[in-house]
C-alpha cells in the first residue's frame, strides 16, 4: 500500500468521524432536544452514519474527485 493511499484512507476515516459526529449531533439536538437519552441516541446515530459514510467516501470520493479535476481543467 502506497503512502498516498494510506493518506487518503486516513483522511476519509478522520473526515468521516468529524462530519458524521457534527451532523448527527445537530440533527438529534434539533429533533429531540438535549433531553434524557440524547447521548445514547446521538452515539447510535453517529455509529450508523459512520458505517454508511466511510464506504461512500472511499468508493464515490475518487470518482467525484476525478470528475471535478476534469471539469476544472
Amino acid at each position: 500500500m502506497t503512502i498516498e493511499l494510506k493518506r487518503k484512507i486516513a483522511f476519509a476515516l478522520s473526515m468521516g468521524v468529524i462530519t458524521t459526529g457534527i451532523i448527527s449531533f445537530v440533527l438529534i439536538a434539533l429533533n429531540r432536544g438535549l433531553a434524557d437519552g440524547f447521548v445514547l441516541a446521538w452515539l447510535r446515530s453517529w455509529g450508523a452514519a459512520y458505517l454508511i459514510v466511510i464506504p461512500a467516501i472511499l468508493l464515490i470520493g475518487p470518482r467525484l474527485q476525478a470528475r471535478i479535476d476534469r471539469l476544472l481543467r
Side-chain angles (χ1 to χ4, degrees), residues 7-22:
R7 283 183 57 227
K8 287 181 180 186
I9 292 171
F11 176 78
L13 296 173
S14 301
M15 198 63 183
V17 167
I18 293 167
T19 57
T20 57
I22 292 169

Side-chain angles (χ1 to χ4, degrees), residues 13 16-17 20-21 23-24 26-27 29-31 34-36 38 44 47 50 52-53 55 59 68 70 72-73:
L13 296 173
V17 167
T20 57
I23 291 168
S24 61
V26 170
L27 291 176
L30 288 173
N31 288 310
L34 299 175
D36 290 340
F38 172 82
R44 190 177 314 124
Y50 188 75
I52 293 166
V53 162
L59 296 173
I68 291 170
R70 281 193 303 273
L72 296 178
R73 279 189 212 157

Side-chain angles (χ1 to χ4, degrees), residues 2 5 13 22 26-28 34 37 39-41 46-48 55-56 58 63 66-67 71 73:
T2 67
L5 183 57
L13 296 173
I22 292 169
V26 170
L27 291 176
I28 296 292
L34 299 175
V39 173
L40 183 60
W46 190 356
L58 294 173
R63 292 182 182 113
R67 283 187 176 195
L71 286 172
R73 279 189 212 157

